Amino acid sequence: MSDRIRRLRARVVETILKQFGFQLISQKGSHRKWRNEDVELQV
């Protein structure tokens, strides 16, 4: 088993973030900010 982190496409990551309760709050070009109000976390 490899110690490397598997690469994921942005669309897959966005789907995972939505499943964990994150919402898209802003976007500037290709950079997007996601926030989860329940745990007060922004990525």
Side-chain angles (χ1 to χ4, degrees), residues 9-41:
R9 296 193 180 272
R11 186 169 290 165
V12 175
V13 174
E14 290 176 0
T15 302
I16 294 169
L17 287 173
K18 288 178 186 176
Q19 290 174 348
F20 281 90
F22 284 81
Q23 296 178 341
L24 181 64
I25 58 168
S26 69
Q27 178 175 346
K28 186 173 185 180
S30 62
H31 297 269
R32 296 178 178 180
K33 292 182 184 176
W34 295 83
R35 181 178 293 156
N36 185 324
E37 297 290 336
D38 298 334
V39 292
E40 297 179 2
L41 185 65

